[in-house]
Every structure is written in C-alpha cells, then in structure tokens.
Amino acid sequence: MDDNMLQPHTEPSYVERLRRQGVRVTPQRLIVLEALAAHSGHITADEILRWAALRYPAINLATIYRTLEMLISIGLVAQSDFGSGISYFELVGEAPHHHLVCEHCHAVLEVDDKALQPLHESILHGYGFATNSRHLALFGCCQACLAALEQSVR
Amino acid sequence: MDDNMLQPHTEPSYVERLRRQGVRVTPQRLIVLEALAAHSGHITADEILRWAALRYPAINLATIYRTLEMLISIGLVAQSDFGSGISYFELVGEAPHHHLVCEHCHAVLEVDDKALQPLHESILHGYGFATNSRHLALFGCCQACLAALEQSVR
DNA sequence: GTGAGTGCAAATGCTTTGCAGACGT
DNA sequence: ACGTCTGCAAAGCATTTGCACTCAC
C-alpha cells in the first residue's frame, strides 16, 4: 500500500521510529498515530475507532488496542485512566504534562510538569518514590464547577 | 437481627452515622464496613466479598457494590482507581492521604496530605482548580524498584 | 405492614484473546 | 516466501441492573 496516500499528515519520524523498533509499518498503525496526533489531547480507543473508520472503514477495535499496546511499549504513547474505567491515550510529546480531572463535569485540564517539580522533589525526598513525570492524574473540582457550587450554596 | 452479634468489632459510630442518614442498618452493610475497617488500607470489592463471606456466606457482590456506592455518597468511603481498571475502596479517616502507586511492582504507599499542600496551592492559584485532598493517586517507581533498576543497568 | 434493601441472574461496556487469512518485509 | 499483523467472533472481567422476595423499621 502507498504510504504517501495514507499518511500525508503523519510525521515521517513516526514511520522511522516504527521501523527502528523492528515493527511493521501498516496503514492501520499510521492511522492510529494520525488519530492521536489529530486529537492533541487525550482520546479513547473508541474515539480512535470512529475517527479512523472515516478513512479506513475496515479497521477493527482489537487492532486499535493491539496497536496502542505496541505504541505504549515503545514509549510513543501514554495511557491514562482518569478513574472512569475508560482508558485515554495520547502521544508522548516533548513537554511532560499532567491532567486535572474535574469530578463534577469531567473536564480535563492539562498542567505543565514544571508546576509539579516541587511535588516530585518533596515526594522523592520524603518517600524515596520517583513520581512519573509523564502521566499523573489529579482529581478535584474545576473553576466553573467551583463557581457553580458557590452559587448553589447562597 | 441482633446488631451486637454481627458487629462486635464495628465502631458504634458507624451505626449511628447510617441511622442519621436515614438508611437502614443491615448486617450486610455492617460487614462491609467491618471489612473496610479490617483492611486499614485499600481493598477491592472482590476482597470485601471474600472477607465478608467468611462470616456471612449468603452475601452477594451486587450488594457490596450497592453498599459501597451508598457509603461513598454519604462520604464514609473513598474510591480510588489506580489506573488498573479495578476500584479500591477505603474508609475516609481523619487524616487525608494519597497513594503512590509503583508502576513496576504495583506496591501502594500512602502519602500524608500535608506533603501535598504546596501542590494544592500552586494548582489552585495557577489553574483555578481545587484538587481533591481525599484520594489522589500518583504513579511512579518505588524505592525498591528504583534500586533494582539501577542494579540491572550496571 | 410497608418500602428500602437483598439475592440471583442476566446484561453491560471496555478490553483481550484465539484463530485463520492477509500483507509488509 | 516468511512471519507478523489483521479482522472477526467469542471470551473475560469488573461492575450494573431488573425483578421478585425479604427484613429493618
């Protein structure tokens, strides 16, 4: 199959990175990567399926899960479970960041890892535990819901 | 049924707290509370079932889930999903704390909430997001696995 | 006595797996 | 051509739900 036809928007580096890992470059894998790239943030397996099916209707959910598993194992993708029982996937980018998950409206904000540097250090020193700087999830209540809650109290 | 026979080890305050909420006090509910109290840390629904079945064989998993849901809704129990797709439950105690989940050996350490105070504040100020002080889960690598990894590199 | 709570069994939803066939190398 | 990868269908697993019965109040 013609690579150029199917991955016009894919960073060529991904193809190389797959090859370098000794795994085969297939249209399905490129499409999963494109789906991840298109949704700069987090995306579920099912969302990848629906997005991919637009251009490659025959693609199968099992293939997507297997592809994601492979991409995670080679460090190209990070998986986060926001406590919902549903896994979210995203490309591992240059800048590590984390997620603030609102327990009320389920919105997900991203936090730059720099903001958590003091946390990493205090936990490393206090507990000898090296927190992962790639995909933490912090739960709480976002600004909008905080405001709404305050309103209802009055 | 005789409460005293079935909840000799249960804090009487739990019975009162249930009554105060207007929910019925049943042996199943007391046993779930005892199971949670017996495992001071985190425990899965299935572990509660096995523990409870020792003294009350007829108890059912669905009942345990429904009981946990109720206990969470009245604030007696906290639920954490450590990214494994399995929920862990624990009694909400006096001192808020969080969990450090080792991605290698799956050990779970507890962190006092005080250690995260700077984090709460910096996120509140920087993002207007009020992080939950009850059940955060932080992922990373524990001391033992860090040491083991260092060994293997040499 | 009444309705909240329970047990049972079946259903749900996400994810994984077995296997035969397809395709990247 | 070889062996990896895919599609399909079925299984797994934690959790939820519908319903008739039971028991705490």
Side-chain angles (χ1 to χ4, degrees):
Chain A
M1 192 170 286
D2 185 352
D3 274 353
N4 288 323
M5 209 176 97
L6 272 156
Q7 43 113 3
H9 305 303
T10 305
E11 300 282 340
S13 58
Y14 286 129
V15 178
E16 289 166 24
R17 290 179 76 168
L18 292 183
R19 287 234 164 80
R20 218 175 297 143
Q21 292 288 337
V23 300
R24 294 187 177 168
V25 178
T26 68
Q28 290 92 333
R29 287 173 174 180
L30 294 174
I31 284 190
V32 168
L33 280 167
E34 282 184 54
L36 289 162
H39 298 69
S40 63
H42 36 85
I43 181 175
T44 66
D46 191 62
E47 286 166 346
I48 294 175
L49 175 69
R50 285 204 290 270
W51 193 94
L54 296 177
R55 282 206 276 153
Y56 196 103
I59 200 164
N60 190 277
L61 237 198
T63 302
I64 289 172
Y65 277 110
R66 282 184 286 224
T67 300
L68 288 169
E69 183 187 12
M70 181 271 290
L71 292 173
I72 291 168
S73 76
I74 66 176
L76 235 58
V77 165
Q79 175 176 16
S80 319
D81 180 316
F82 295 148
S84 60
I86 302 172
S87 291
Y88 289 79
F89 302 89
E90 67 183 343
L91 284 175
V92 171
E94 304 304 317
H97 65 273
H98 309 286
H99 297 107
L100 300 177
V101 185
C102 178
E103 293 173 322
H104 295 85
C105 67
H106 304 106
V108 179
L109 285 78
E110 295 194 351
V111 201
D112 194 281
D113 185 54
K114 284 180 211 144
L116 278 80
Q117 215 55 53
L119 169 72
H120 291 313
E121 281 165 23
S122 74
I123 288 185
L124 184 59
H125 292 141
Y127 299 86
F129 188 97
T131 42
N132 187 322
S133 61
R134 287 267 165 226
H135 61 289
L136 300 181
L138 306 177
F139 300 89
C141 184
C142 73
Q143 209 154 19
C145 289
L146 273 178
L149 285 173
E150 267 185 40
Q151 281 294 327
S152 66
V153 169
R154 280 173 200 161
Chain B
M1 192 171 285
D2 185 353
D3 274 354
N4 289 322
M5 208 175 96
L6 273 157
Q7 42 114 1
H9 306 302
T10 306
E11 300 282 340
S13 59
Y14 286 129
V15 177
E16 290 165 25
R17 290 179 75 167
L18 292 182
R19 288 236 164 80
R20 219 174 295 143
Q21 292 289 336
V23 301
R24 295 186 178 171
V25 178
T26 69
Q28 291 92 334
R29 287 173 173 180
L30 294 175
I31 284 191
V32 169
L33 281 167
E34 282 184 55
L36 289 162
H39 298 68
S40 63
H42 36 84
I43 181 175
T44 66
D46 192 62
E47 286 166 346
I48 294 175
L49 174 69
R50 285 203 290 269
W51 193 93
L54 296 176
R55 283 205 275 153
Y56 196 103
I59 200 165
N60 189 276
L61 238 197
T63 301
I64 289 172
Y65 277 110
R66 282 185 286 224
T67 299
L68 288 168
E69 183 188 13
M70 181 271 292
L71 292 173
I72 291 168
S73 75
I74 65 176
L76 235 57
V77 164
Q79 174 176 16
S80 319
D81 181 316
F82 296 148
S84 60
I86 301 172
S87 292
Y88 289 80
F89 302 89
E90 68 182 340
L91 284 174
V92 171
E94 305 304 315
H97 64 272
H98 308 287
H99 298 107
L100 300 177
V101 185
C102 178
E103 292 173 322
H104 295 85
C105 67
H106 304 105
V108 179
L109 284 79
E110 297 194 350
V111 201
D112 194 281
D113 185 54
K114 285 179 213 144
L116 278 79
Q117 215 55 52
L119 169 72
H120 291 312
E121 281 165 23
S122 75
I123 288 185
L124 184 57
H125 292 140
Y127 298 86
F129 187 97
T131 43
N132 187 322
S133 62
R134 287 269 164 222
H135 60 288
L136 300 181
L138 306 176
F139 300 89
C141 185
C142 73
Q143 208 154 20
C145 289
L146 272 178
L149 285 173
E150 267 185 39
Q151 281 294 327
S152 67
V153 169
R154 278 170 202 161

